[in-house]
Amino acid sequence: MPKIRRRDTSAWIKKVAASYGKTVGEVGYLFCDDEKILEVNREYLQHDYYTDIITFDYDEGDQINGDLVISLDTVRTNAELFGKTYEEELHRVIIHGILHLCGINDKGPGEREIMEAAENKALAMLDTTNR
């Protein structure tokens, strides 16, 4: 289990969701290794590759609900690759999933840039939440 300040992270997630007109309902987190996320990716999405996060969206109206499956192996690898700390990359991945629950996609034309901008905006909110 990663060392996350639960209260601060929860407050941050609520603040980000509110900026999209959403409230937070039930959000579950499954922290796993690369092999488990590959298994989930194959079984539920029919994708045969590793990834850092898979988001299952169970939203109800303006309330976000879902499950985030996060590979800590890939988070660690990506942190090294992008020159970030493990904690910074973990926060980016968590908020990436939350942003999906808020309705932001990243697979279509131009959507990746929108997602990255939303991640950066949300990460800036984390900084102000934890001061």
Side-chain angles (χ1 to χ4, degrees), residues 8-18 24 29 64 94-95 98:
D8 291 340
T9 302
S10 180
W12 170 54
I13 287 169
K14 288 177 182 175
K15 187 175 180 181
V16 170
V24 177
Y29 301 85
I64 64 170
I94 289 170
I95 212 60
I98 296 297

Side-chain angles (χ1 to χ4, degrees), residues 11-130:
W12 170 54
I13 287 169
K14 288 177 182 175
K15 187 175 180 181
V16 170
S19 75
Y20 290 93
K22 307 283 186 178
T23 60
V24 177
E26 297 289 326
V27 178
Y29 301 85
L30 171 64
F31 297 102
C32 62
D33 61 14
D34 275 347
E35 293 312 310
K36 180 63 177 177
I37 206 160
L38 179 61
E39 178 185 319
V40 171
N41 214 4
R42 286 175 175 157
E43 182 175 346
Y44 293 97
L45 302 175
Q46 291 70 53
H47 296 161
D48 192 22
Y49 54 81
Y50 297 99
T51 188
D52 51 1
I53 184 168
I54 297 172
T55 305
F56 293 97
D57 186 342
Y58 315 125
D59 289 355
E60 298 174 7
D62 289 335
Q63 184 180 68
I64 64 170
N65 295 281
D67 289 320
L68 307 181
V69 182
I70 298 171
S71 170
L72 297 178
D73 291 340
T74 301
V75 168
R76 185 167 281 107
T77 300
N78 286 347
E80 293 171 12
L81 185 67
F82 301 131
K84 301 290 184 182
T85 67
Y86 174 73
E87 289 77 18
E88 288 171 324
E89 184 63 10
L90 182 58
H91 282 116
R92 186 194 65 76
V93 170
I94 289 170
I95 212 60
H96 182 93
I98 296 297
L99 290 168
H100 274 307
L101 296 177
C102 289
I104 298 175
N105 297 312
D106 61 352
K107 300 293 184 210
E111 290 180 338
R112 181 174 298 265
E113 293 80 5
I114 293 168
M115 176 61 86
E116 287 176 8
E119 287 172 359
N120 291 336
K121 179 181 167 191
L123 288 168
M125 289 181 186
L126 174 65
D127 294 341
T128 60
T129 300
N130 288 333

